[in-house]
Amino acid sequence: MSKTLRGRLLAAIFTVGVAGAFAAPACSETLADAIALAYDTNPNLLGQRATQRALDETYVQARAGFRPQLSFGSDAAYLQTRTPHAAGGGLIDTNGDGIPDALGRGISAVNSGSIALNLSQPLWNGGRTAAAVSATEADILSGRETLRRVESQVMLIVVQSYADVRRDQEGVRIREENVNVLKRQLEESRARAEVGEITRTDVAQSQARLAASQALLSSAIAQLGISRANYANAVGQNPADLQPEPSLAFLLPTNPDEAFAVAEKYSPLLRGQQFAEQASRARVAAARAERMPSLSVRGQYGFTGVLAPFNQGLYSREITAQAVLQVPLFTGGLNNSRIRQQVERNNVDRITIETQRRSVLQTVTQAWNQLIAARANIDSTEESVRAAEIAAEGTREEQKLGLLTTLDVLNAEQELRNDELSAVAARHDEYVAAATVLSAMGRLEAKDLIPAVTPYDPKKNFRKLRFAPGYVPWEEPVAVVDRALAFPQIPKIQDMAPEPAIGPGLSPPPTTPAIAAKK
């Protein structure tokens, strides 16, 4: 954890612990501001983007099978032969001057050196490379859906932490107000006890209720500190004066059937699994291609000669050109086993599509029911607050007339505060449930929430790598031949169009620049 973030998290604790009752910060912050900052700085999201860029490189690696390979090689060799005298190892000429050398009795030595350039160009791989490229394309598309899913998770965490802080701030306000009311009630009880209107029992009841309320206030302050820390962790800075949550109605479906339809078509979890199935299907084709022949051309250009003493004129030049056809005949059952293995893996991915579909629909159903229940709770809790306010006011008036006791007043005040807290919680739950529905549908994305902010485009890096260094123009016809002559045919990867952006967004773009390097 960086010192800056550590300082922010500590600030989230000490601000609550020391201040107790919150004073509104000087600057205000909207949910769109928080989402925009998290979109640019959240480490989980940034890390997933880097993971996706690393995945893009597998496409270049797969296409390398269409491209030539050029290498440089050199070697130096020394050979010494010692022949026993009994085997004819007499005086021999070791320096090539025609005169036997006594130092070379039974000893001969030669040295050589060579340098060469080697070139290899595949012409047809039986569909192996084309199938590998298709598999990596599907993997990259699946990775993009994983990036969408992580983005949606980050957006949901930001929305929930934002709503949590606002809920807990309101809870602290209600608890503080309750403490102040009970303090006034205690003072009033003591004054009335002094003149004999009520007993010491009434005073003790007021004291007990005040102490309990103060304990609840301390718990509320602690919970607010936790929520502020969660907010700082998700967004990257401590919450300022958080403005009311904007409506999400422009993104919500009108009925559950619409939510199911959108989720089945655009859920990143489901779409990612569909791309994973396409990738494993392409790997089945790659395994079958291992039984096919392959054709390539190879060339070598080099020089060979005596290394010492060096004489350039004594070096011979060698040029080699080959056309190499390889036909696998028998692999001990290895290729057939790999084919069966990939077929079963594809079966797993195909079955998992249905598993993910059911999981997505279950999540949407649960979130939708939570949303409906939260909306119903809002109506009932607001009605309870209105009734409790009237009851509390009436109880105080009747107590002044001697018709009700101090305990009745304390109970009425407690019911009012509890109803107010329930109303705050209901509004919080309704908003988080709405965001959860959108996340399950695959619609809780920056392009819809903050359309004025330039979105991160994962395709940009991929387009850059398509013609990165290493690309050669003739790889295109080689790729066409490799795919066209594959048997059986390699399945084509089917991309899926994204859902169009839905306006108008939460609010205007943030006015403060991002605190970290963008993407």
Side-chain angles (χ1 to χ4, degrees):
M1 181 186 294
S2 67
K3 292 183 178 179
T4 302
L5 181 55
R6 186 183 297 113
R8 291 182 184 134
L9 295 180
L10 290 175
I13 297 173
F14 291 123
T15 301
V16 178
V18 175
F22 263 93
C27 60
S28 62
E29 184 175 355
T30 66
L31 179 57
D33 294 329
I35 290 177
L37 185 57
Y39 187 69
D40 283 341
T41 64
N42 185 274
N44 293 331
L45 188 53
L46 296 180
Q48 190 60 43
R49 290 172 185 171
T51 300
Q52 182 62 29
R53 291 193 293 270
L55 186 60
D56 290 343
E57 296 292 344
T58 60
Y59 180 79
V60 179
Q61 297 164 15
R63 288 193 69 90
F66 296 135
R67 299 170 181 175
Q69 302 292 324
L70 180 64
S71 63
F72 171 80
S74 66
D75 67 80
Y78 173 79
L79 174 64
Q80 184 186 81
T81 304
R82 294 175 177 266
T83 306
H85 182 74
L91 295 178
I92 60 175
D93 181 12
T94 59
N95 55 15
D97 59 359
I99 303 173
D101 188 349
L103 297 176
R105 183 182 299 275
I107 300 175
S108 64
V110 295
N111 66 81
S112 64
S114 67
I115 58 173
L117 284 175
N118 299 285
L119 176 67
S120 176
Q121 171 63 59
L123 298 180
W124 178 53
N125 283 331
R128 296 173 180 83
T129 304
V133 170
S134 293
T136 57
E137 287 176 346
D139 287 339
I140 290 170
L141 292 174
S142 179
R144 291 175 184 172
E145 295 303 319
T146 301
L147 178 59
R148 285 186 59 222
R149 179 166 56 84
V150 172
E151 177 183 326
S152 179
Q153 291 172 347
V154 170
M155 299 296 103
L156 181 59
I157 291 173
V158 172
V159 170
Q160 181 163 0
S161 61
Y162 189 99
D164 287 351
V165 171
R166 281 189 44 80
R167 176 201 61 194
D168 295 338
Q169 285 177 339
E170 189 67 11
V172 169
R173 184 194 64 79
I174 292 172
R175 293 296 184 189
E176 286 180 337
E177 183 177 345
N178 191 42
V179 167
N180 294 332
V181 169
L182 292 177
K183 285 180 178 179
R184 292 194 297 269
Q185 179 67 33
L186 177 58
E187 293 173 357
E188 181 180 344
S189 297
R190 285 172 174 169
R192 295 181 64 190
E194 290 178 358
V195 297
E197 292 185 6
I198 58 177
T199 66
R200 294 179 57 186
T201 302
D202 295 305
V203 176
Q205 290 173 340
S206 298
Q207 290 175 329
R209 196 60 61 88
L210 175 59
S213 179
Q214 289 172 332
L216 291 175
L217 174 59
S218 298
S219 298
I221 291 174
Q223 180 58 49
L224 177 55
I226 294 172
S227 297
R228 287 170 63 85
N230 293 337
Y231 180 96
N233 181 53
V235 177
Q237 70 178 21
N238 218 34
D241 179 20
L242 302 186
Q243 299 300 303
E245 299 90 339
S247 174
L248 296 174
F250 70 99
L251 292 174
L252 286 171
T254 56
N255 55 69
D257 291 336
E258 182 183 348
F260 294 148
V262 173
E264 285 195 271
K265 192 172 182 180
Y266 298 113
S267 167
L269 189 64
L270 181 56
R271 284 165 62 117
Q273 183 57 42
Q274 290 169 340
F275 285 128
E277 188 277 331
Q278 293 189 51
S280 63
R281 200 188 322 158
R283 290 188 171 91
V284 172
R288 287 172 174 162
E290 292 296 329
R291 299 184 299 189
M292 300 293 290
S294 62
L295 177 64
S296 62
V297 293
R298 300 174 185 173
Q300 185 181 72
Y301 179 80
F303 296 89
T304 303
V306 177
L307 190 62
F310 177 76
N311 188 341
Q312 183 176 357
L314 297 179
Y315 272 70
S316 60
R317 183 175 61 177
E318 297 178 354
I319 300 176
T320 304
Q322 295 175 305
V324 180
L325 176 67
Q326 292 182 325
V327 182
L329 297 178
F330 180 70
T331 60
L334 177 62
N335 288 342
N336 290 335
S337 176
R338 287 174 175 171
I339 291 172
R340 293 192 298 270
Q341 182 185 51
Q342 293 299 335
V343 167
E344 293 305 327
R345 286 176 175 172
N346 178 249
N347 288 337
V348 171
D349 287 335
R350 180 172 48 80
I351 295 170
T352 306
I353 291 177
E354 180 60 23
T355 303
Q356 297 291 20
R357 176 180 287 108
R358 295 183 183 185
S359 176
V360 167
L361 296 182
Q362 178 190 21
T363 303
V364 172
T365 302
Q366 293 173 342
W368 184 267
N369 287 322
Q370 290 173 351
L371 176 61
I372 297 302
R375 287 175 174 173
N377 286 340
I378 289 177
D379 294 336
S380 60
T381 54
E382 288 181 349
E383 181 62 30
S384 296
V385 169
R386 287 192 292 269
E389 288 176 345
I390 296 173
E393 180 64 26
T395 302
R396 286 191 292 268
E397 294 299 325
E398 292 181 18
Q399 189 228 12
K400 293 178 182 179
L401 298 176
L403 300 177
L404 294 176
T405 65
T406 300
L407 183 60
D408 294 323
V409 175
L410 295 175
N411 289 338
E413 288 291 341
Q414 182 175 353
E415 290 178 2
L416 172 60
R417 303 311 169 194
N418 289 339
D419 288 340
E420 289 177 340
L421 291 171
S422 297
V424 171
R427 289 192 293 270
H428 163 274
D429 294 345
E430 189 274 341
Y431 199 82
V432 173
T436 304
V437 170
L438 296 177
S439 179
M441 292 168 54
R443 192 176 277 181
L444 194 68
E445 297 181 284
K447 67 182 178 65
D448 296 322
L449 300 175
I450 46 174
V453 175
T454 303
Y456 177 81
D457 182 11
K459 297 181 181 179
K460 182 178 179 180
N461 182 70
F462 181 79
R463 289 191 296 266
K464 179 179 65 176
L465 294 177
R466 180 63 179 84
F467 299 100
Y471 171 82
V472 291
W474 59 86
E475 74 179 68
E476 303 299 339
V478 174
V480 171
V481 171
D482 195 51
R483 181 176 292 274
L485 298 183
F487 182 81
Q489 286 295 308
I490 300 169
K492 186 177 180 181
I493 303 303
Q494 301 293 330
D495 196 359
M496 290 177 263
E499 184 180 21
I502 303 174
L506 296 179
S507 69
T511 56
T512 55
I515 62 173
K518 198 170 185 178
K519 310 170 191 61

